[in-house]
Amino acid sequence: MLSIFLTIAILLIGGTHSAPWDTTNFADDEWTEQPTTTTTTTTTTTTTTTLAPEFDREWEDLILGGPTVVNHLGLFMVLASRADQILQPAAGYQIQHIQNLQSLRSTLTQIRLAMQNAFQTARDDHFRAQNSMQQIPEHIKAGLLLIQTAPKDLISKLLPYTMRNVERAADEGSLVTKPALHRFVSIGLLLEELVTVLNSTSSTLANQDYLIEAKSYAADISEQWNLLVDLFRKFSHRADITQTLIKNSFIEPINEAQRTNGFNNLSDRTSELSKLIPVSILIDQSSDLLDMMIGTYTVVSNDHMVNQIDAHKSALDIKDEQGRGKKQRELWQSILQQSIKVARLAQERQNGFAATSLERNTEYGAYARVAMAT
């Protein structure tokens, strides 16, 4: 009995620290009968349909937008090194995001700095989100272990503490995904405005080809950036799903059982565990999925985005066509190589997540089996 309570104590205390990155911890589950859900995010007016985690592989495509947008911005800056361009909004158009209409180069610098800041600040937010997601399964297991084995007086003392811990982790995870999403949405609006203003900028015989190429780069960058916005929206939405599952399907049933003395005997505990275990698997799966997606994005950002976008500032200073051609070849090669590398990484992480379904189901199912055997 002492070893059981020692295990509970370790679970209650140990979940307050983040675990090191380990791809073997990614998991999926077999609860494929879960329906899709439709929700509206608080940061945009977009309504998104969320697939059950085992079917949702869209993030693997969305994450490719990160390295691609950084390299496309570099290509745009190489073009702008040939000549600057005054931006001309259409009559009556109110500029909201571009700071200097007199210089395309200045606007590209504004975009580069905004992206770099967004990438850097997202790292801190994402670390906190991962930390919260990694705590959730440990708190869930601590609660199940208490229901399974602890005397009623110990349950009444420790279970509320465990519920507060898991709720706090869920709330924190949901909260910290929002600022990064807001920043990325804001940059998306800046890019859309640049596309709009370039389309209304008049061309001459001398700059016609230049403007055509500039419009193409601006549209490509805006499109690729929107993939990142959708990825960050997915992070935020997954955190919200996890939070809702915990509050409505784990904490509330346990609180109700405590109010009605639902843990008095083995039969009551077994009945309650049979209801809690399926949702516990879903919560574990959902938090693991978000942890895995954010962790993969962090690797991609560190390897291909944060430092690279800062290095691109020198592209505006290229003085000759030979230097421009060399830089363009480097950037196009980077797009190809990085896209392949990132796609493989995302696929490996997703496959690792999906590979441990049976292990997760077995682990949680043991709580009910042990209780029935007691």
Side-chain angles (χ1 to χ4, degrees), residues 11-184:
L11 286 170
L12 288 172
I13 297 171
T16 60
H17 303 284
S18 62
W21 183 262
D22 183 356
T23 57
T24 62
N25 288 333
F26 305 146
D28 195 3
D29 68 47
E30 299 296 330
W31 297 90
T32 56
E33 70 273 15
Q34 290 299 311
T36 59
T37 56
T38 302
T39 63
T40 303
T41 66
T42 58
T43 54
T44 71
T45 58
T46 303
T47 300
T48 57
T49 299
T50 302
L51 294 171
E54 60 270 28
F55 298 119
D56 186 3
R57 303 187 70 122
E58 182 189 24
W59 74 274
E60 295 178 58
D61 296 324
L62 299 179
I63 201 171
L64 294 173
T68 303
V69 78
V70 169
N71 286 304
H72 276 198
L73 181 62
L75 288 166
F76 199 174
M77 296 175 82
V78 171
L79 173 68
S81 72
R82 290 177 179 160
D84 207 353
Q85 173 67 48
I86 296 175
L87 302 174
Q88 301 169 334
Y93 182 85
Q94 296 295 318
I95 293 295
Q96 299 182 38
H97 306 285
I98 295 174
Q99 296 172 352
N100 184 2
L101 290 174
Q102 300 304 307
S103 172
L104 175 59
R105 290 175 178 173
S106 176
T107 301
L108 292 179
T109 297
Q110 177 189 349
I111 291 169
R112 179 185 62 80
L113 291 173
M115 287 183 178
Q116 185 177 8
N117 179 67
F119 295 154
Q120 290 173 337
T121 53
R123 288 193 293 197
D124 292 336
D125 293 337
H126 285 167
F127 176 81
R128 292 171 61 194
Q130 281 191 275
N131 184 48
S132 297
M133 292 303 107
Q134 290 164 5
Q135 290 179 35
I136 285 171
E138 300 309 313
H139 295 316
I140 293 290
K141 293 170 190 176
L144 295 177
L145 191 59
L146 282 167
I147 296 170
Q148 178 195 54
T149 61
K152 191 172 186 300
D153 60 341
L154 193 58
I155 288 180
S156 64
K157 293 178 182 178
L158 294 183
L159 199 52
Y161 171 73
T162 304
M163 295 302 98
R164 287 194 298 271
N165 282 343
V166 70
E167 184 173 27
R168 182 175 62 249
D171 290 345
E172 172 81 357
S174 177
L175 178 66
V176 298
T177 58
K178 303 300 185 288
L181 175 57
H182 281 295
R183 286 189 291 269
F184 275 63

Side-chain angles (χ1 to χ4, degrees), residues 21 57-70 119 126 184 224-232 234-235 290-302 304-305 338-350:
W21 183 262
R57 303 187 70 122
E58 182 189 24
W59 74 274
E60 295 178 58
D61 296 324
L62 299 179
I63 201 171
L64 294 173
T68 303
V69 78
V70 169
F119 295 154
H126 285 167
F184 275 63
Q224 294 300 318
W225 188 261
N226 284 337
L227 296 181
L228 281 182
V229 172
D230 287 343
L231 180 66
F232 276 59
K234 186 175 288 291
F235 293 165
L290 181 55
D291 183 18
M292 181 270 290
M293 290 192 298
I294 288 179
T296 307
Y297 167 82
T298 300
V299 171
V300 172
S301 179
N302 289 341
H304 305 298
M305 296 162 62
Q338 291 172 8
S339 294
I340 293 172
K341 187 174 182 179
V342 171
R344 286 175 176 170
L345 175 66
Q347 186 178 50
E348 288 171 1
R349 293 289 174 89
Q350 177 68 30

Side-chain angles (χ1 to χ4, degrees), residues 53 73 139 146 153 167 177 190 205 217 223 225 247 250 271 276 290 303 338 374:
L73 181 62
H139 295 316
L146 282 167
D153 60 341
E167 184 173 27
T177 58
L190 168 61
L205 189 61
Y217 278 133
E223 180 181 355
W225 188 261
K247 289 179 180 289
F250 189 78
S271 175
L276 291 173
L290 181 55
D303 289 351
Q338 291 172 8
T374 301

